[in-house]
Amino acid sequence: MAKFSIGIDYGTESARALLLNLETAEEVASSTMNYPHGVMDEKLPDGTVLPQDWALEHPDDYIEVLKKIIPDVINQSGINKDDVVGIGIDFTACTMLPIKKDGTPLCDLPEYKSNPHAYVKLWKHHAAQPEANMLNKIASLRGEDFLARYGGKISSEWLIPKIWQILNEAPDVYEEADKFIEATDWVILKLTGNERRNSCTAGYKAIWHKRKGYPSKEFFKALDERLENVVDEKLSRDIYPLGTKAGELTEEMAEMIGLKPGIAVAVGNVDAHVSLPAVGVTSPGKMVMIMGTSICHVVLGDKEVEVPGMCGVVEDGIVPGFYGYEAGQSAVGDIFAWFVDNCVPDDYKKEAQERGVSVHQLLTEKASKLKPGESGLLALDWLNGNRSVLVDADLTGLILGLTLRTKPEEIYRALIESTAYGTRMIIDTLNEYGIKIDELYACGGLPEKNPMLMQIYADVTNLEIKVSKSNQTPALGAAMFGAVAAGKENGGFDSIFEAAKVIPKLKDETFKPISENVEIYEKLFQEYKLLHDYFGRGANDVMKRLKNIKEVVSDVREPKTTCI
């Protein structure tokens, strides 16, 4: 009798469940649901206005979606729910929230429903940049050795800057919170009743090291005296390896989501990192690009090397026995969506409607007829800051070469090319510091939707790109880890390496570099590097000065709410 595992992928806008047949490796059914509250970047549900660079979510949504997507995959497949032996989840990170000891989010308390700091701070919440800047300055002055493991900078997207922002702007929320926890670990807590903080988010997002633990109390005190005991008072030193069993599904949750109690639940994971074994990558030299609203770039190494601008290197951070390196771009698909939503003329939208295609499809069709360099345009892909290799959320976008004859499809292609150049910067930096990249693998929504984009990436990087056959790769990886938590004796697997030998599937078609395109893109990339370093490494901080002026003017017109 076949056994099954369910993988749950919590993305930026929605969550999806995938039912995996562990005997045949078949993806039997999937279901997706948007978060009822969506991403809150302008106001809270009660109308409370949010300042610039905020991105929040409502934690209740994370449980609400389970009530639909899990019964849905069971009903679609027609299987007996008793044959589900494992559950795994992955999440965007750092996506964190303040909770009480019993797991209640502070935003669910009546007295805090209008306080933005009581809600989930999504990964792309960048309002903690001042705290990140100060943390990096103090860590550098103190000679803290952890800084080099994260490419020389801790990001505003990560746990400690976000906690410090709460302490600075809403000390009552900080005091009321018994714990600050990653959303992936919070969902595991809700599913099993056990707090099991995973080594992936702890290592990449919370400055935790397998051998050294967290930074010292003295460091946290140097940041702020009130943070001296933040680890012991608000976090936890109990960190659990990936692939281990967090616990079993409680009777309450089982009844709520339509499964049997006692199912093995794996320790939580990160959406990008869980994707490596899901495309069959369990050895060094193979970079996996998880391509969607943003891109995460992850690769395994057999040694710990300090690489500038990386989001981190963590021992056992992706699979046991290897060092996992993470880099990323804060906006990719989001950039293309911004352009379509705000910059495309009505006649293009009308043409797309008449032809029954999306505006993205129309622009791609027109842009694919252009040769590399034909538009005369060059862009910087920083519309949501730069995650790697500059690690600076205050950088902004740029398009160079516009004329009165520039067409929308030319800008669209230039924006796509800019994101490919950003990926090339990451690859070149890793290569320079001894982490060799020989192969590229892609998964996520973009490879499925836009072959032109994938060909541009192959041409810019001069590497062949292999593509996952699954269009739900993170959910597949989560399901694989759920099967490992169940163990072979229950129909699962004894290790993620064993699962990675039989579950993943790749498409037959790959994207190979086209030599004449490679030659032109090499010239364009060198120009990109000049712009990248000029605006990104301090030669001209005009982007930051403009942003400061914008903030001053915004403060005059729209005073910040008093609750933050």
Side-chain angles (χ1 to χ4, degrees):
M1 181 71 68
K3 299 299 180 182
F4 301 84
S5 182
I6 294 177
I8 304 158
D9 171 36
Y10 284 96
T12 300
E13 305 278 353
S14 61
R16 55 210 53 84
L18 176 70
L19 182 67
L20 175 66
N21 186 318
L22 300 178
E23 184 178 304
T24 66
E26 177 190 2
E27 297 179 19
V28 181
S30 65
S31 179
T32 301
M33 177 178 169
N34 290 333
Y35 301 132
H37 293 92
V39 176
M40 298 179 288
D41 53 12
E42 294 182 358
K43 60 183 179 180
L44 296 183
D46 69 355
T48 300
V49 176
L50 299 175
Q52 182 174 293
D53 292 332
W54 279 63
L56 308 179
E57 290 190 333
H58 202 305
D60 292 355
D61 292 352
Y62 303 147
I63 305 303
E64 196 63 32
V65 294
L66 298 181
K67 299 176 185 177
K68 176 186 180 295
I69 60 177
I70 291 183
D72 195 19
V73 296
I74 299 298
N75 291 336
Q76 285 181 49
S77 64
I79 70 164
N80 188 329
K81 67 180 182 180
D82 292 347
D83 291 327
V84 178
V85 298
I87 299 174
I89 74 169
D90 70 81
F91 229 104
T92 62
C94 167
T95 294
M96 56 81 74
L97 68 155
I99 61 172
K100 301 300 291 181
K101 288 179 181 177
D102 64 358
T104 301
L106 258 63
C107 62
D108 283 344
L109 302 178
E111 60 269 35
Y112 287 101
K113 69 177 183 178
S114 295
N115 193 314
H117 285 291
Y119 287 79
V120 173
K121 284 182 169 59
L122 188 59
W123 66 269
K124 63 178 181 178
H125 174 90
H126 286 155
Q129 189 63 48
E131 284 76 13
N133 292 342
M134 186 58 66
L135 185 154
N136 291 322
K137 180 179 179 181
I138 292 172
S140 179
L141 289 173
R142 287 175 53 87
E144 296 284 347
D145 62 359
F146 69 77
L147 205 58
R149 294 199 305 272
Y150 298 96
K153 288 183 181 180
I154 301 301
S155 169
S156 63
E157 296 178 0
W158 298 354
L159 187 69
I160 301 305
K162 286 175 174 173
I163 291 176
W164 197 6
Q165 185 197 6
I166 293 172
L167 177 60
N168 283 335
E169 298 182 7
D172 57 323
V173 172
Y174 182 90
E175 291 300 325
E176 186 68 22
D178 293 318
K179 294 178 181 291
F180 295 100
I181 191 169
E182 280 281 351
T184 189
D185 297 330
W186 180 76
V187 173
I188 293 298
L189 172 62
K190 298 292 287 185
L191 291 174
T192 67
N194 300 327
E195 182 183 333
R196 297 288 187 267
R197 297 182 184 236
N198 73 89
S199 60
C200 189
T201 51
Y204 288 101
K205 311 300 180 182
I207 325 181
W208 175 84
H209 190 272
K210 180 181 177 181
R211 302 176 190 277
K212 300 178 181 179
Y214 289 100
S216 67
K217 289 185 177 182
E218 289 74 22
F219 168 70
F220 286 112
K221 185 177 181 180
L223 297 182
D224 190 309
E225 289 188 353
R226 300 168 294 173
L227 288 173
E228 180 178 5
N229 297 305
V230 64
V231 173
D232 295 314
E233 292 178 353
K234 304 290 186 180
L235 302 176
S236 174
R237 296 187 187 273
D238 294 328
I239 307 297
Y240 293 81
L242 300 179
T244 56
K245 181 179 173 181
E248 298 177 348
L249 189 65
T250 66
E251 290 189 7
E252 178 185 358
M253 286 301 298
E255 182 178 356
M256 184 184 299
I257 64 179
L259 294 175
K260 68 174 182 178
I263 295 173
V265 179
V267 165
N269 212 321
V270 177
D271 52 357
H273 304 72
V274 78
S275 298
L276 265 79
V279 296
V281 172
T282 56
S283 60
K286 305 171 182 178
M287 173 178 279
V288 178
M289 303 181 294
I290 300 86
M291 308 178 74
T293 56
S294 61
I295 295 183
C296 283
H297 308 74
V298 279
V299 63
L300 300 174
D302 52 15
K303 56 188 175 182
E304 184 176 275
V305 178
E306 297 170 354
V307 183
M310 294 302 103
C311 298
V313 50
V314 178
E315 185 177 0
D316 302 337
I318 300 175
V319 296
F322 293 99
Y323 292 90
Y325 291 81
E326 178 194 350
Q329 292 166 267
S330 296
V332 179
D334 273 352
I335 295 176
F336 316 145
W338 162 81
F339 181 74
V340 166
D341 291 343
N342 296 281
C343 305
V344 176
D346 288 341
D347 59 327
Y348 276 62
K349 295 176 182 178
K350 183 180 178 181
E351 181 182 350
Q353 185 176 14
E354 290 174 347
R355 292 177 52 188
V357 298
S358 71
V359 178
H360 283 284
Q361 289 173 301
L362 178 67
L363 288 170
T364 297
E365 178 186 316
K366 293 177 181 292
S368 63
K369 297 175 182 177
L370 299 169
K371 297 177 182 178
E374 184 177 346
S375 70
L377 300 178
L378 186 63
L380 290 175
D381 52 315
W382 300 342
L383 276 73
N384 196 29
N386 179 284
R387 185 185 296 164
S388 300
V389 295
L390 299 172
V391 196
D392 193 338
D394 284 333
L395 295 173
T396 54
L398 178 146
I399 302 173
L400 185 68
L402 294 169
T403 73
L404 293 176
R405 299 182 65 181
T406 298
K407 294 180 171 60
E409 59 267 28
E410 294 175 327
I411 300 175
Y412 190 73
R413 181 171 180 126
L415 292 172
I416 290 175
E417 291 168 342
S418 76
T419 65
Y421 300 143
T423 287
R424 168 76 182 273
M425 284 295 302
I426 292 167
I427 292 171
D428 284 1
T429 303
L430 283 163
N431 283 332
E432 181 183 350
Y433 283 82
I435 307 302
K436 187 66 175 173
I437 309 299
D438 300 311
E439 300 179 39
L440 287 183
Y441 292 72
C443 60
L446 290 181
E448 189 74 22
K449 297 174 183 176
N450 200 321
M452 180 192 74
L453 177 146
M454 297 309 302
Q455 186 60 54
I456 289 173
Y457 271 65
D459 293 339
V460 169
T461 62
N462 198 22
L463 290 170
E464 181 180 4
I465 303 176
K466 300 174 183 178
V467 181
S468 173
K469 204 167 189 176
S470 174
N471 58 8
Q472 302 284 1
T473 308
L476 176 61
M480 290 167 62
F481 275 103
V484 172
K488 182 173 284 188
E489 69 276 10
N490 294 312
F493 300 97
D494 283 338
S495 74
I496 195 62
F497 297 99
E498 181 184 314
K501 290 179 181 178
V502 297
I503 298 296
K505 295 180 176 66
L506 297 173
K507 290 184 177 181
D508 294 333
E509 177 192 12
T510 66
F511 293 90
K512 296 180 176 65
I514 300 170
S515 57
E516 54 265 37
N517 292 350
V518 170
E519 184 178 349
I520 298 171
Y521 276 128
E522 180 62 31
K523 295 177 181 177
L524 291 170
F525 176 67
Q526 295 305 321
E527 300 296 340
Y528 173 91
K529 282 180 67 176
L530 290 174
L531 291 178
H532 175 280
D533 291 350
Y534 180 68
F535 289 108
R537 299 192 188 276
N540 189 338
D541 284 333
V542 61
M543 293 175 177
K544 297 180 181 182
R545 294 194 295 273
L546 290 173
K547 194 169 184 179
N548 288 337
I549 293 170
K550 177 181 177 180
E551 289 175 350
V552 170
V553 173
S554 297
D555 283 343
V556 171
R557 291 179 180 173
E558 297 181 9
K560 292 182 179 179
T561 176
T562 56
C563 65
I564 57 170

